[in-house]
Short mmCIF file of all heavy atoms in Angstrom, two decimals:
data_model
loop_
_atom_site.label_atom_id
_atom_site.label_comp_id
_atom_site.label_asym_id
_atom_site.label_seq_id
_atom_site.Cartn_x
_atom_site.Cartn_y
_atom_site.Cartn_z
N ASP A 1 22.75 -15.52 -12.53
CA ASP A 1 22.77 -15.14 -11.12
C ASP A 1 22.44 -13.62 -11.12
O ASP A 1 21.73 -13.16 -10.15
CB ASP A 1 24.22 -15.33 -10.59
CG ASP A 1 24.51 -16.84 -10.50
OD1 ASP A 1 23.53 -17.58 -10.28
OD2 ASP A 1 25.71 -17.18 -10.53
N PHE A 2 22.99 -12.85 -12.15
CA PHE A 2 22.67 -11.46 -12.12
C PHE A 2 21.21 -11.04 -12.26
O PHE A 2 20.71 -10.27 -11.43
CB PHE A 2 23.51 -10.86 -13.21
CG PHE A 2 23.18 -9.30 -13.46
CD1 PHE A 2 23.84 -8.41 -12.56
CD2 PHE A 2 22.36 -8.99 -14.52
CE1 PHE A 2 23.54 -7.03 -12.78
CE2 PHE A 2 22.13 -7.64 -14.64
CZ PHE A 2 22.71 -6.63 -13.87
N PHE A 3 20.57 -11.73 -13.18
CA PHE A 3 19.18 -11.45 -13.43
C PHE A 3 18.29 -11.95 -12.21
O PHE A 3 17.39 -11.39 -11.84
CB PHE A 3 18.66 -12.14 -14.70
CG PHE A 3 19.18 -11.47 -15.92
CD1 PHE A 3 19.94 -12.06 -16.94
CD2 PHE A 3 18.85 -10.16 -16.10
CE1 PHE A 3 20.39 -11.50 -18.05
CE2 PHE A 3 19.26 -9.56 -17.32
CZ PHE A 3 20.07 -10.10 -18.20
N ILE A 4 18.63 -13.12 -11.55
CA ILE A 4 17.94 -13.53 -10.40
C ILE A 4 18.14 -12.46 -9.39
O ILE A 4 17.17 -12.21 -8.60
CB ILE A 4 18.60 -14.94 -9.96
CG1 ILE A 4 18.11 -15.97 -10.99
CG2 ILE A 4 18.02 -15.24 -8.50
CD1 ILE A 4 18.76 -17.30 -10.54
N HIS A 5 19.24 -12.00 -9.26
CA HIS A 5 19.50 -10.86 -8.15
C HIS A 5 18.66 -9.64 -8.45
O HIS A 5 18.03 -9.14 -7.52
CB HIS A 5 21.02 -10.49 -8.19
CG HIS A 5 21.42 -9.49 -7.06
ND1 HIS A 5 21.29 -9.73 -5.74
CD2 HIS A 5 21.81 -8.30 -7.33
CE1 HIS A 5 21.66 -8.75 -5.13
NE2 HIS A 5 21.96 -7.74 -5.93
N ILE A 6 18.68 -9.17 -9.72
CA ILE A 6 17.83 -8.05 -10.14
C ILE A 6 16.32 -8.34 -9.87
O ILE A 6 15.61 -7.55 -9.33
CB ILE A 6 18.00 -7.77 -11.59
CG1 ILE A 6 19.54 -7.22 -11.83
CG2 ILE A 6 17.06 -6.67 -11.99
CD1 ILE A 6 19.83 -5.90 -10.98
N ALA A 7 15.92 -9.60 -10.13
CA ALA A 7 14.48 -9.98 -10.07
C ALA A 7 14.10 -9.95 -8.55
O ALA A 7 13.06 -9.48 -8.17
CB ALA A 7 14.22 -11.32 -10.69
N THR A 8 15.00 -10.40 -7.67
CA THR A 8 14.78 -10.45 -6.39
C THR A 8 14.62 -8.93 -5.75
O THR A 8 13.77 -8.74 -4.90
CB THR A 8 15.97 -11.08 -5.51
OG1 THR A 8 16.07 -12.47 -6.04
CG2 THR A 8 15.70 -11.10 -3.95
N ILE A 9 15.53 -8.08 -6.24
CA ILE A 9 15.38 -6.70 -5.73
C ILE A 9 14.12 -6.12 -6.26
O ILE A 9 13.24 -5.45 -5.56
CB ILE A 9 16.50 -5.92 -6.31
CG1 ILE A 9 17.81 -6.41 -5.61
CG2 ILE A 9 16.30 -4.43 -6.02
CD1 ILE A 9 19.06 -5.72 -6.29
N ALA A 10 13.76 -6.45 -7.48
CA ALA A 10 12.45 -5.87 -8.09
C ALA A 10 11.15 -6.35 -7.27
O ALA A 10 10.34 -5.61 -7.06
CB ALA A 10 12.32 -6.24 -9.53
N VAL A 11 11.16 -7.75 -7.02
CA VAL A 11 10.10 -8.28 -6.32
C VAL A 11 10.04 -7.59 -4.95
O VAL A 11 8.93 -7.26 -4.34
CB VAL A 11 10.19 -9.91 -6.13
CG1 VAL A 11 9.24 -10.33 -5.08
CG2 VAL A 11 10.04 -10.44 -7.49
N GLY A 12 11.07 -7.38 -4.28
CA GLY A 12 11.22 -6.76 -2.94
C GLY A 12 10.53 -5.37 -3.05
O GLY A 12 9.82 -4.91 -2.14
N LEU A 13 10.95 -4.68 -4.11
CA LEU A 13 10.47 -3.30 -4.23
C LEU A 13 8.93 -3.17 -4.50
O LEU A 13 8.18 -2.54 -3.89
CB LEU A 13 11.14 -2.51 -5.35
CG LEU A 13 12.65 -2.21 -5.20
CD1 LEU A 13 13.34 -1.63 -6.38
CD2 LEU A 13 12.74 -1.12 -4.03
N LEU A 14 8.48 -4.17 -5.31
CA LEU A 14 7.02 -4.28 -5.66
C LEU A 14 6.29 -4.59 -4.32
O LEU A 14 5.18 -4.10 -4.07
CB LEU A 14 6.76 -5.34 -6.79
CG LEU A 14 7.24 -4.94 -8.10
CD1 LEU A 14 7.10 -6.16 -9.05
CD2 LEU A 14 6.43 -3.65 -8.56
N LEU A 15 6.89 -5.53 -3.56
CA LEU A 15 6.17 -5.94 -2.34
C LEU A 15 6.09 -4.73 -1.37
O LEU A 15 5.10 -4.44 -0.71
CB LEU A 15 6.93 -7.12 -1.64
CG LEU A 15 6.85 -8.48 -2.25
CD1 LEU A 15 7.63 -9.49 -1.59
CD2 LEU A 15 5.26 -8.93 -2.25
N ALA A 16 7.20 -3.92 -1.30
CA ALA A 16 7.27 -2.82 -0.45
C ALA A 16 6.25 -1.80 -0.87
O ALA A 16 5.43 -1.21 -0.10
CB ALA A 16 8.62 -2.22 -0.47
N ILE A 17 6.21 -1.52 -2.18
CA ILE A 17 5.19 -0.57 -2.73
C ILE A 17 3.75 -1.02 -2.53
O ILE A 17 2.87 -0.27 -2.17
CB ILE A 17 5.47 -0.29 -4.30
CG1 ILE A 17 6.85 0.30 -4.39
CG2 ILE A 17 4.37 0.52 -4.88
CD1 ILE A 17 7.30 0.47 -5.91
N GLY A 18 3.54 -2.29 -2.74
CA GLY A 18 2.17 -2.81 -2.63
C GLY A 18 1.76 -2.74 -1.19
O GLY A 18 0.66 -2.41 -0.83
N LEU A 19 2.75 -3.06 -0.20
CA LEU A 19 2.36 -3.01 1.18
C LEU A 19 2.05 -1.52 1.56
O LEU A 19 1.09 -1.25 2.36
CB LEU A 19 3.55 -3.42 1.99
CG LEU A 19 3.35 -3.32 3.58
CD1 LEU A 19 2.16 -4.29 3.95
CD2 LEU A 19 4.61 -3.84 4.21
N GLU A 20 2.79 -0.59 1.03
CA GLU A 20 2.63 0.77 1.30
C GLU A 20 1.28 1.26 0.77
O GLU A 20 0.56 1.99 1.56
CB GLU A 20 3.74 1.63 0.74
CG GLU A 20 3.64 3.21 1.11
CD GLU A 20 4.67 3.96 0.37
OE1 GLU A 20 5.62 3.36 -0.36
OE2 GLU A 20 4.64 5.21 0.55
N GLN A 21 0.99 0.90 -0.39
CA GLN A 21 -0.32 1.22 -0.99
C GLN A 21 -1.52 0.60 -0.21
O GLN A 21 -2.51 1.26 -0.12
CB GLN A 21 -0.36 0.78 -2.58
CG GLN A 21 0.59 1.62 -3.36
CD GLN A 21 0.50 1.23 -4.76
OE1 GLN A 21 0.15 0.05 -5.24
NE2 GLN A 21 0.86 2.11 -5.71
N THR A 22 -1.27 -0.59 0.21
CA THR A 22 -2.36 -1.27 0.98
C THR A 22 -2.55 -0.58 2.32
O THR A 22 -3.72 -0.32 2.68
CB THR A 22 -1.82 -2.81 1.32
OG1 THR A 22 -1.71 -3.40 0.09
CG2 THR A 22 -3.06 -3.45 2.16
N VAL A 23 -1.58 -0.09 2.92
CA VAL A 23 -1.59 0.64 4.22
C VAL A 23 -2.36 1.95 3.99
O VAL A 23 -3.27 2.46 4.68
CB VAL A 23 -0.26 0.90 4.90
CG1 VAL A 23 -0.32 1.84 6.13
CG2 VAL A 23 0.31 -0.43 5.34
N GLU A 24 -1.92 2.63 2.81
CA GLU A 24 -2.55 3.87 2.54
C GLU A 24 -3.96 3.68 2.13
O GLU A 24 -4.81 4.62 2.53
CB GLU A 24 -1.92 4.50 1.22
CG GLU A 24 -2.35 5.90 0.97
CD GLU A 24 -1.50 6.52 -0.22
OE1 GLU A 24 -0.50 5.86 -0.70
OE2 GLU A 24 -1.82 7.67 -0.56
N ALA A 25 -4.44 2.64 1.42
CA ALA A 25 -5.73 2.41 1.05
C ALA A 25 -6.66 2.15 2.25
O ALA A 25 -7.75 2.61 2.39
CB ALA A 25 -5.88 1.14 0.15
N ILE A 26 -5.97 1.35 3.20
CA ILE A 26 -6.71 1.10 4.49
C ILE A 26 -6.93 2.43 5.22
O ILE A 26 -8.00 2.69 5.83
CB ILE A 26 -5.89 0.11 5.37
CG1 ILE A 26 -6.05 -1.28 4.74
CG2 ILE A 26 -6.60 0.01 6.71
CD1 ILE A 26 -5.10 -2.32 5.40
N HIS A 27 -5.90 3.31 5.22
CA HIS A 27 -6.06 4.53 5.87
C HIS A 27 -7.11 5.45 5.28
O HIS A 27 -7.98 6.13 5.93
CB HIS A 27 -4.68 5.31 5.85
CG HIS A 27 -4.71 6.70 6.45
ND1 HIS A 27 -5.03 6.91 7.69
CD2 HIS A 27 -4.59 7.92 5.83
CE1 HIS A 27 -4.89 8.24 7.93
NE2 HIS A 27 -4.64 8.84 6.84
N HIS A 28 -7.25 5.40 3.94
CA HIS A 28 -8.19 6.18 3.20
C HIS A 28 -9.68 5.77 3.50
O HIS A 28 -10.57 6.45 3.76
CB HIS A 28 -7.90 6.11 1.66
CG HIS A 28 -6.79 6.90 1.22
ND1 HIS A 28 -6.28 6.89 0.00
CD2 HIS A 28 -6.01 7.87 1.93
CE1 HIS A 28 -5.27 7.68 -0.11
NE2 HIS A 28 -5.16 8.32 1.08
N LEU A 29 -9.77 4.31 3.53
CA LEU A 29 -11.06 3.82 3.99
C LEU A 29 -11.50 4.14 5.39
O LEU A 29 -12.70 4.49 5.61
CB LEU A 29 -11.01 2.20 3.78
CG LEU A 29 -10.92 1.64 2.53
CD1 LEU A 29 -10.74 0.11 2.53
CD2 LEU A 29 -12.15 1.91 1.71
N HIS A 30 -10.50 4.32 6.21
CA HIS A 30 -10.75 4.72 7.64
C HIS A 30 -11.18 6.20 7.64
O HIS A 30 -12.12 6.44 8.42
CB HIS A 30 -9.48 4.51 8.47
CG HIS A 30 -9.69 4.88 9.91
ND1 HIS A 30 -10.47 4.14 10.83
CD2 HIS A 30 -9.10 5.93 10.67
CE1 HIS A 30 -10.40 4.67 11.93
NE2 HIS A 30 -9.64 5.77 11.91
N GLN A 31 -10.50 7.01 6.75
CA GLN A 31 -10.88 8.39 6.80
C GLN A 31 -12.22 8.64 6.19
O GLN A 31 -13.06 9.35 6.92
CB GLN A 31 -9.84 9.11 5.88
CG GLN A 31 -8.53 9.40 6.53
CD GLN A 31 -7.57 10.13 5.51
OE1 GLN A 31 -7.34 9.73 4.40
NE2 GLN A 31 -7.20 11.35 5.81
N VAL A 32 -12.60 7.88 5.22
CA VAL A 32 -13.90 7.99 4.65
C VAL A 32 -15.01 7.39 5.57
O VAL A 32 -16.10 8.21 5.72
CB VAL A 32 -14.06 7.16 3.32
CG1 VAL A 32 -15.43 7.13 2.74
CG2 VAL A 32 -13.06 7.83 2.21
N ARG A 33 -14.69 6.41 6.31
CA ARG A 33 -15.70 5.89 7.26
C ARG A 33 -15.93 6.94 8.39
O ARG A 33 -17.06 7.12 8.80
CB ARG A 33 -15.21 4.55 7.78
CG ARG A 33 -16.16 3.90 8.80
CD ARG A 33 -15.81 2.35 9.14
NE ARG A 33 -14.48 2.47 9.79
CZ ARG A 33 -13.30 1.95 9.21
NH1 ARG A 33 -13.41 1.48 7.97
NH2 ARG A 33 -12.27 1.94 9.92
N GLU A 34 -14.88 7.51 8.79
CA GLU A 34 -14.98 8.41 9.95
C GLU A 34 -15.68 9.73 9.44
O GLU A 34 -16.47 10.24 10.11
CB GLU A 34 -13.55 8.88 10.36
CG GLU A 34 -13.00 7.88 11.40
CD GLU A 34 -11.67 8.39 12.01
OE1 GLU A 34 -11.06 9.37 11.35
OE2 GLU A 34 -11.22 7.97 12.97
N THR A 35 -15.40 10.17 8.24
CA THR A 35 -16.07 11.31 7.72
C THR A 35 -17.60 11.01 7.45
O THR A 35 -18.37 11.92 7.77
CB THR A 35 -15.42 11.74 6.35
OG1 THR A 35 -14.02 12.06 6.47
CG2 THR A 35 -16.18 12.87 5.66
N ARG A 36 -17.92 9.94 6.89
CA ARG A 36 -19.35 9.54 6.73
C ARG A 36 -20.10 9.59 8.11
O ARG A 36 -21.19 9.96 8.17
CB ARG A 36 -19.49 8.25 6.08
CG ARG A 36 -19.23 8.30 4.59
CD ARG A 36 -19.28 7.01 3.89
NE ARG A 36 -19.10 7.10 2.45
CZ ARG A 36 -18.63 6.16 1.66
NH1 ARG A 36 -18.26 4.89 2.18
NH2 ARG A 36 -18.61 6.34 0.33
N GLU A 37 -19.43 9.04 9.15
CA GLU A 37 -20.14 9.03 10.49
C GLU A 37 -20.24 10.36 10.99
O GLU A 37 -21.31 10.75 11.58
CB GLU A 37 -19.24 8.12 11.42
CG GLU A 37 -19.79 8.02 12.86
CD GLU A 37 -18.99 7.20 13.74
OE1 GLU A 37 -17.95 6.63 13.28
OE2 GLU A 37 -19.34 7.16 14.92
N ALA A 38 -19.25 11.26 10.77
CA ALA A 38 -19.36 12.57 11.28
C ALA A 38 -20.44 13.43 10.50
O ALA A 38 -21.15 14.18 11.09
CB ALA A 38 -17.98 13.38 11.18
N LEU A 39 -20.49 13.09 9.18
CA LEU A 39 -21.50 13.81 8.40
C LEU A 39 -22.96 13.30 8.72
O LEU A 39 -23.91 14.08 8.71
CB LEU A 39 -21.30 13.53 6.87
CG LEU A 39 -20.10 14.34 6.24
CD1 LEU A 39 -19.80 13.76 4.87
CD2 LEU A 39 -20.26 15.76 6.31
N HIS A 40 -22.99 12.02 8.99
CA HIS A 40 -24.31 11.45 9.47
C HIS A 40 -24.79 12.15 10.71
O HIS A 40 -25.92 12.56 10.79
CB HIS A 40 -24.14 9.98 9.75
CG HIS A 40 -25.36 9.36 10.29
ND1 HIS A 40 -26.48 8.95 9.45
CD2 HIS A 40 -25.68 8.89 11.49
CE1 HIS A 40 -27.37 8.38 10.18
NE2 HIS A 40 -26.91 8.38 11.41
#
């Protein structure tokens, strides 16, 4: 039960980090797209 509980917490943290990184990556892509349009 203890290891299942720890694994659940770890998976939750990984999902949160992955979601944050995904949002950040989308934001970076948006920044690059806007910059390229402005430079064009």
Side-chain angles (χ1 to χ4, degrees):
D1 294 331
F2 173 76
F3 285 120
I4 291 173
H5 182 66
I6 294 299
T8 302
I9 293 174
V11 170
L13 288 173
L14 289 174
L15 288 174
I17 293 172
L19 180 61
E20 181 181 3
Q21 290 180 339
T22 300
V23 171
E24 186 176 1
I26 292 173
H27 177 62
H28 287 169
L29 288 173
H30 181 68
Q31 284 181 301
V32 171
R33 183 170 61 251
E34 283 188 335
T35 297
R36 283 174 174 155
E37 182 178 354
L39 290 172
H40 176 78

